């Protein structure tokens, strides 16, 4: 089978993984993903840093063994063995300029977790990121990740949660996930300045469907 599921090698894989992730989320375009060359480099470093500092983080890739291990897809899981919302933290988005754009992104990330924080205050498996590169769609790549996650949740006796983009829904619904609610993410500020308005216009509002 040329499309093989493997654990990511944190030392070597993030540059190619980040590039594949941007190419995947941008086809078709999704408002919250805008890649420039330097953003891809930055994302590779940041994904590696987050991964190596977060014990719940588990990254997988699917590689094309007939194409020198080209990345066909990736998935980031959080295997929460404890309640991840017990001690809420508000990390600073230091990779954004120190102006209202940093606050906008901080709010957007916090808003993203609100529905799950309401109901998943216990150990669980969370599918944070999943993508299949456009060259490999509808060849079972997403399904291989889902099969792994469903088995892992069963093994741990945990629930499995995810937030879905419009493009993720058919995959999840084919796997029996059910729609719970819509999370329309609109960061809010009483006195939006020009930077805030520009970012809000470029990226938001964006909507995820929250499923279990
Ligand atoms: C969502 C995504 C990961 C699906 O990956 P994929 O590898 O193409 O999916 P699979 O080939 O494993 O599909 C498995 C099943 O899911 C369903 N499915 C997946 N994509 C579908 C689509 N576009 N339309 C209808 N059904 C679809 C089908 O039932 C499919 O089985 P089938 O091909 O035998 O009919 C991919 O479209 C993607 O990367 N999208 C952009 C990034 C993104 O939005 N990710 C989701 C984040 S929540």
């Amino acid at each position: 089978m040329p499309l093989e599921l493997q654990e990511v090698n944190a030392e070597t894989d993030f540059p190619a993984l980040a590039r594949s992730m941007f190419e995947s989320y941008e086809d078709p375009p999704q408002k919250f993903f805008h890649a420039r060359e330097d953003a891809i480099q930055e994302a590779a470093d940041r994904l590696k840093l987050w991964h190596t500092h977060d014990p719940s983080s588990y990254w997988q890739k699917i590689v094309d063994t007939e194409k020198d291990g080209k990345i066909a897809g990736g998935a980031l899981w959080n295997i929460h063995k404890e309640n991840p919302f017990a001690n809420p933290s508000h990390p600073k988005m230091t990779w954004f300029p120190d102006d209202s754009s940093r606050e906008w992104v901080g709010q957007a990330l916090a808003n993203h977790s609100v529905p799950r924080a309401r109901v998943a205050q216990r150990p669980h498996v969370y599918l944070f990121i999943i993508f299949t590169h456009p060259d490999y769609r509808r060849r079972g790549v997403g399904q291989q990740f889902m099969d792994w996650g469903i088995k892992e949740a069963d093994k741990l006796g945990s629930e499995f949660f995810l937030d879905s983009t419009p493009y993720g829904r058919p995959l999840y619904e084919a796997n029996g996930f059910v729609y719970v609610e819509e999370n329309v993410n609109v960061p809010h500020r009483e006195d939006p300045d020009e930077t805030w308005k520009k970012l809000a216009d470029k990226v938001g509002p964006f909507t995820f469907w929250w499923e279990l």
Side-chain angles (χ1 to χ4, degrees):
M1 156 89 109
L3 297 174
E4 199 174 289
L5 178 69
Q6 299 176 359
E7 185 174 347
V8 155
N9 179 333
E11 286 314 310
T12 54
D13 282 341
F14 280 108
L17 199 67
R19 183 169 302 280
S20 183
M21 180 176 84
F22 277 105
E23 287 174 1
S24 302
Y25 275 94
E26 289 186 334
D27 185 355
Q30 303 196 47
K31 265 186 121 184
F32 60 95
F33 259 85
H34 297 271
R36 303 177 317 271
E37 197 51 38
D38 54 342
I40 296 175
Q41 299 289 328
E42 155 73 13
D45 293 343
R46 190 149 306 286
L47 290 177
K48 178 178 175 184
L49 191 77
W50 281 346
H51 175 64
T52 48
H53 284 76
D54 177 356
S56 79
S57 172
Y58 186 68
W59 261 106
Q60 294 179 318
K61 62 181 176 178
I62 287 180
V63 295
D64 185 343
T65 55
E66 288 172 354
K67 291 233 166 112
D68 270 347
K70 183 180 169 188
I71 291 187
L76 170 58
W77 303 91
N78 289 117
I79 313 292
H80 291 301
K81 301 217 161 131
E82 288 164 16
N83 172 10
F85 303 110
N87 299 300
S89 66
H90 302 285
K92 276 210 158 67
M93 311 294 142
T94 49
W95 61 97
F96 267 79
D98 192 8
D99 55 27
S100 60
S101 61
R102 189 181 285 185
E103 188 195 334
W104 195 95
V105 174
Q107 275 196 35
L109 276 183
N111 290 348
H112 186 70
S113 304
V114 166
R116 186 165 50 106
R118 230 185 290 127
V119 299
Q121 300 259 354
R122 53 189 174 274
H124 61 271
V125 172
Y126 178 59
L127 178 57
F128 191 1
I129 292 175
I130 182 171
F131 61 86
T132 300
H133 190 274
D135 293 349
Y136 292 93
R137 299 256 165 95
R138 298 304 287 270
R139 290 173 58 186
V141 168
Q143 190 58 51
Q144 282 202 59
F145 291 127
M146 294 301 291
D147 288 346
W148 182 89
I150 290 165
K151 238 196 224 156
E152 182 69 9
D154 273 356
K155 192 173 94 193
L156 298 171
S158 294
E159 288 158 293
F160 177 153
F161 296 99
L162 58 86
D163 297 281
S164 175
T165 64
Y167 307 108
R169 272 187 86 169
L171 172 65
Y172 307 137
E173 290 176 5
N175 281 275
F177 280 73
V178 290
Y179 165 90
V180 178
E181 70 180 69
E182 191 171 71
N183 183 9
V184 183
N185 198 331
V186 189
H188 176 74
R189 194 177 186 176
E190 287 302 327
D191 54 344
D193 60 14
E194 276 314 303
T195 306
W196 179 284
K197 284 187 201 156
K198 245 168 118 178
L199 193 60
D201 193 44
K202 188 173 173 192
V203 183
F206 53 90
T207 302
F208 275 79
W209 289 278
W210 137 245
E211 311 203 12
L212 59 87

